[in-house]
Short mmCIF file of all heavy atoms in Angstrom, two decimals:
data_model
loop_
_atom_site.label_atom_id
_atom_site.label_comp_id
_atom_site.label_asym_id
_atom_site.label_seq_id
_atom_site.Cartn_x
_atom_site.Cartn_y
_atom_site.Cartn_z
N ARG A 149 25.79 -37.09 71.00
CA ARG A 149 26.64 -35.92 71.19
C ARG A 149 28.13 -36.22 70.98
O ARG A 149 28.85 -35.46 70.37
CB ARG A 149 26.44 -35.34 72.59
CG ARG A 149 25.01 -34.85 72.85
CD ARG A 149 24.83 -34.47 74.31
NE ARG A 149 23.44 -34.10 74.59
CZ ARG A 149 22.97 -33.89 75.80
NH1 ARG A 149 23.77 -34.02 76.86
NH2 ARG A 149 21.70 -33.55 75.99
N GLY A 150 28.59 -37.32 71.53
CA GLY A 150 30.01 -37.63 71.48
C GLY A 150 30.43 -38.27 70.16
O GLY A 150 29.60 -38.72 69.37
N PRO A 151 31.74 -38.33 69.90
CA PRO A 151 32.25 -38.91 68.65
C PRO A 151 32.09 -40.42 68.62
O PRO A 151 32.10 -41.09 69.67
CB PRO A 151 33.73 -38.52 68.67
CG PRO A 151 34.06 -38.38 70.11
CD PRO A 151 32.83 -37.81 70.76
N LYS A 152 31.94 -40.97 67.44
CA LYS A 152 31.91 -42.42 67.26
C LYS A 152 33.30 -42.98 67.56
O LYS A 152 34.31 -42.34 67.30
CB LYS A 152 31.50 -42.76 65.83
CG LYS A 152 31.44 -44.24 65.52
CD LYS A 152 31.09 -44.49 64.07
CE LYS A 152 32.28 -44.23 63.16
NZ LYS A 152 32.00 -44.58 61.75
N VAL A 153 33.35 -44.20 68.12
CA VAL A 153 34.60 -44.89 68.37
C VAL A 153 34.62 -46.16 67.52
O VAL A 153 33.65 -46.94 67.54
CB VAL A 153 34.77 -45.26 69.85
CG1 VAL A 153 36.06 -46.05 70.08
CG2 VAL A 153 34.75 -44.00 70.72
N TRP A 154 35.69 -46.36 66.76
CA TRP A 154 35.81 -47.59 65.99
C TRP A 154 37.18 -48.20 66.21
O TRP A 154 38.09 -47.54 66.71
CB TRP A 154 35.55 -47.35 64.50
CG TRP A 154 36.54 -46.49 63.78
CD1 TRP A 154 36.62 -45.13 63.81
CD2 TRP A 154 37.59 -46.93 62.91
NE1 TRP A 154 37.65 -44.69 63.02
CE2 TRP A 154 38.26 -45.78 62.44
CE3 TRP A 154 38.01 -48.18 62.47
CZ2 TRP A 154 39.34 -45.84 61.58
CZ3 TRP A 154 39.10 -48.25 61.59
CH2 TRP A 154 39.74 -47.09 61.15
N PHE A 155 37.31 -49.48 65.86
CA PHE A 155 38.50 -50.24 66.21
C PHE A 155 39.21 -50.70 64.94
O PHE A 155 38.63 -51.39 64.10
CB PHE A 155 38.12 -51.43 67.09
CG PHE A 155 37.44 -51.01 68.36
CD1 PHE A 155 36.06 -50.84 68.40
CD2 PHE A 155 38.17 -50.73 69.50
CE1 PHE A 155 35.42 -50.43 69.56
CE2 PHE A 155 37.55 -50.31 70.68
CZ PHE A 155 36.18 -50.16 70.70
N GLN A 156 40.47 -50.31 64.82
CA GLN A 156 41.28 -50.63 63.64
C GLN A 156 42.17 -51.83 63.96
O GLN A 156 43.02 -51.76 64.84
CB GLN A 156 42.14 -49.42 63.26
CG GLN A 156 42.99 -49.62 62.03
CD GLN A 156 43.54 -48.30 61.53
OE1 GLN A 156 42.93 -47.63 60.70
NE2 GLN A 156 44.70 -47.92 62.03
N HIS A 157 41.94 -52.92 63.22
CA HIS A 157 42.65 -54.16 63.54
C HIS A 157 44.12 -54.10 63.14
O HIS A 157 44.46 -53.66 62.03
CB HIS A 157 41.99 -55.34 62.83
CG HIS A 157 42.68 -56.65 63.10
ND1 HIS A 157 42.61 -57.28 64.32
CD2 HIS A 157 43.48 -57.42 62.31
CE1 HIS A 157 43.31 -58.40 64.27
NE2 HIS A 157 43.86 -58.50 63.07
N MET A 158 44.98 -54.52 64.04
CA MET A 158 46.42 -54.64 63.81
C MET A 158 46.83 -56.10 64.02
O MET A 158 46.46 -56.69 65.04
CB MET A 158 47.21 -53.76 64.78
CG MET A 158 46.91 -52.27 64.73
SD MET A 158 47.71 -51.46 63.34
CE MET A 158 46.26 -50.96 62.39
N GLU A 159 47.56 -56.66 63.10
CA GLU A 159 48.05 -58.02 63.30
C GLU A 159 49.09 -58.07 64.41
O GLU A 159 49.16 -59.02 65.18
CB GLU A 159 48.65 -58.56 62.00
CG GLU A 159 47.62 -58.82 60.91
CD GLU A 159 46.63 -59.92 61.28
OE1 GLU A 159 46.97 -60.76 62.14
OE2 GLU A 159 45.51 -59.92 60.74
N ILE A 160 49.93 -57.05 64.48
CA ILE A 160 50.95 -56.94 65.51
C ILE A 160 50.75 -55.63 66.24
O ILE A 160 50.64 -54.56 65.62
CB ILE A 160 52.37 -57.00 64.90
CG1 ILE A 160 52.56 -58.31 64.14
CG2 ILE A 160 53.42 -56.83 65.99
CD1 ILE A 160 53.88 -58.40 63.41
N ALA A 161 50.67 -55.68 67.55
CA ALA A 161 50.44 -54.47 68.34
C ALA A 161 51.55 -53.46 68.12
O ALA A 161 52.74 -53.81 68.12
CB ALA A 161 50.35 -54.83 69.82
#
Side-chain angles (χ1 to χ4, degrees):
R149 298 172 184 171
K152 180 183 76 175
V153 177
W154 65 282
F155 301 89
Q156 182 166 270
H157 179 72
M158 301 282 115
E159 291 295 337
I160 301 175

